[in-house]
Amino acid sequence: MRHRLAKITVLALLSIIAVVVIVGAAFFWRLSQGPVSLDFMTERIESQINKSLGGMTVKLGGAVFELDNKTGVPHFRLRDMVLLDHTGNLIAKSKRAAISFESAPLFTGSLVP
């Protein structure tokens, strides 16, 4: 009985590992074809960034996930970012901006820049 349970457990773990490897390979293959648009998340990203800024506002044109040309490492980038002060004056503008998020809150679905 124990031998059978151990065999089923090993097969289940190997199946999970195989699925993770296949999904990871497919994801990197897709990224190698070009950036993946995350425009559906633009409003949420804006609101999370604006929560953490005091007296300033960020406007975004979009977000993408792409591979770095030099290192091949995936990066999260913001497109057409504009930073405004509390009166609406332009502080900074960028075509491409990199941003990172805290990893622990990502597992709960929260974006903390």
Side-chain angles (χ1 to χ4, degrees), residues 8-87:
I8 291 171
T9 303
V10 168
L11 288 174
L13 288 175
L14 288 175
S15 298
I16 291 169
I17 291 170
V19 168
V20 168
V21 168
I22 290 169
V23 168
F27 180 71
F28 272 93
W29 174 79
R30 173 56 188 95
L31 280 178
S32 71
Q33 304 300 311
V36 176
S37 175
L38 300 173
D39 289 340
F40 65 94
M41 294 180 62
T42 301
E43 289 180 25
R44 184 168 184 184
I45 294 167
E46 266 184 17
S47 67
Q48 291 296 322
I49 292 172
N50 287 331
K51 272 192 214 176
S52 65
L53 294 176
M56 294 181 282
T57 305
V58 167
K59 302 284 184 191
L60 302 175
V64 294
F65 204 62
E66 64 186 6
L67 284 178
D68 187 300
N69 292 335
K70 295 177 184 174
T71 64
V73 175
H75 289 284
F76 179 75
R77 302 247 189 242
L78 302 175
R79 292 184 292 117
D80 302 325
M81 186 175 90
V82 177
L83 182 63
L84 306 170
D85 67 7
H86 66 284
T87 60

Side-chain angles (χ1 to χ4, degrees), residues 84-106:
L84 306 170
D85 67 7
H86 66 284
T87 60
N89 295 321
L90 180 67
I91 296 174
K93 186 176 184 179
S94 176
K95 284 283 186 194
R96 289 180 59 206
I99 189 169
S100 62
F101 294 98
E102 291 185 25
S103 57
L106 284 176

